[in-house]
Amino acid sequence: MKIGIIGAMREEIIPLLEIFGKYEEISLGGNIFYCVSYKDSEIYIAYSKIGKVHSALTASSMILYFKCEKIIFSGVAGGLRQDLKVGDLMIATKLCQHDVDISAFGHPLGFIPESKIYIQSDPKLNEIAKSVAKRYEFDLKEGIIASGDQFINNAEKKQWLIEKFNADAVEMEGASVAVVCDLLQVPFCIFRSISDSADGQADVSFDEFLDSSARISANFVKNMVDTLLQQDNL
Ligand code: 4EH
């Protein structure tokens, strides 16, 4: 099987490269794809650079050029719910683009004609993730993730995301990966470990916890890949 694992920032994939070890580097579209041979499978790891456009290109390259059959995102996010603490890991049930606004034409926020407000992640991959969490007695959270090309660091905007999109976490790449995978019919799942609370202290918290939270997500994704490959062999 060919699996693509995407992070947005270098820090989000460094732990994955450490975990998987030896890799080959292939450059395409401003990204370096780190290709790992692992248990008779190929894993393509890349960081896209920040934002929805970059992550959409990376997901597209993984699917159309490298022929990845599953896409996993691993990274960090701002938590919007009271019970989400730094280091908690969330899997997205569905994702939306909070910065899409063509309400001038009567469309609801986040809606693009011929598309939908929320894109659902793959139920089978999410079930595997939950089985992994159960096996390791790991408290994997689930929720709605809102993506947009903005780092959210104020309480009003945070409240707006909760009210308008019922969002549980916010980041800048998940929904665009979701759109690409959905349209190209490739199963995907999105893991995000909390680095901050998207409030006035978000920037400071992010700088402090980016590495440790990225590692929590990467470690879980490693177990996810092992389980996925095991099930593929059955
Ligand atoms: O890839 C971007 C990074 C922040 S921008 C989205 N990532 C981290 C997730 C994230 C996030 N997104 C929106 C974590 N907390 C978030 C938040 N709002 N509160 C960045 C950060 N550092 C240097 C350069 N760019």
Side-chain angles (χ1 to χ4, degrees):
M1 176 156 44
K2 292 187 180 181
I3 303 173
I5 308 177
I6 308 176
M9 303 176 72
R10 187 189 299 277
E11 289 87 344
E12 290 172 320
I13 69 156
I14 282 174
L16 289 164
L17 297 180
E18 289 174 7
I19 289 165
F20 286 109
K22 221 176 111 58
Y23 50 75
E24 185 192 337
E25 296 184 20
I26 306 170
S27 292
L28 178 70
N31 292 142
I32 302 167
F33 293 85
Y34 300 90
C35 178
V36 181
S37 293
Y38 183 69
K39 296 183 179 173
D40 295 324
S41 290
E42 278 170 67
I43 304 175
Y44 294 83
I45 302 168
Y47 75 93
S48 60
K49 299 191 288 286
I50 292 163
K52 293 190 294 168
V53 173
H54 286 125
S55 56
L57 173 61
T58 305
S60 304
S61 298
M62 281 183 169
I63 295 167
L64 297 172
Y65 189 83
F66 294 107
K67 308 293 178 198
C68 291
E69 299 151 284
K70 315 269 182 213
I71 297 289
I72 301 173
F73 192 102
S74 180
V76 303
L80 303 177
R81 242 165 44 199
Q82 279 291 349
D83 66 306
L84 291 175
K85 306 292 180 217
V86 165
D88 282 353
L89 185 65
M90 167 169 288
I91 187 162
T93 52
K94 55 183 186 174
L95 301 101
C96 60
Q97 299 185 62
H98 69 71
D99 55 355
V100 163
D101 182 352
I102 48 170
S103 58
F105 301 97
H107 292 297
L109 286 176
F111 180 75
I112 293 174
E114 296 182 44
S115 186
K116 47 206 168 196
I117 300 178
Y118 296 100
I119 312 282
Q120 262 173 293
S121 51
D122 184 62
K124 285 190 204 140
L125 287 178
N126 293 348
E127 275 313 309
I128 294 174
K130 283 188 227 174
S131 76
V132 171
K134 199 169 174 201
R135 175 150 35 94
Y136 290 92
E137 294 184 43
F138 187 99
D139 184 18
L140 180 64
K141 316 272 186 184
E142 270 189 298
I144 299 174
I145 292 185
S147 311
D149 286 331
Q150 302 156 4
F151 183 81
I152 305 299
N153 66 338
N154 81 75
E156 286 92 79
K157 185 77 195 213
K158 175 178 174 174
Q159 210 46 48
W160 181 88
L161 290 167
I162 297 168
E163 272 164 31
K164 300 291 182 190
F165 293 98
N166 202 17
D168 299 302
V170 64
E171 34 87 313
M172 303 176 65
E173 299 86 12
S176 42
V177 169
V179 169
V180 167
C181 292
D182 188 52
L183 290 171
L184 296 174
Q185 298 180 299
V186 170
F188 74 95
C189 61
I190 309 284
F191 291 98
R192 293 280 187 171
S193 176
I194 303 303
S195 57
D196 57 82
S197 296
D199 54 12
Q201 293 91 55
D203 47 345
V204 179
S205 178
F206 177 84
D207 282 337
E208 184 174 351
F209 297 111
L210 167 61
D211 291 308
S212 55
S213 292
R215 217 162 267 284
I216 288 166
S217 180
N219 287 336
F220 193 95
V221 165
K222 159 71 164 61
N223 293 329
M224 176 80 187
V225 167
D226 284 338
T227 309
L228 191 56
L229 294 179
Q230 227 163 38
Q231 296 204 356
D232 195 47
N233 280 329
L234 295 181

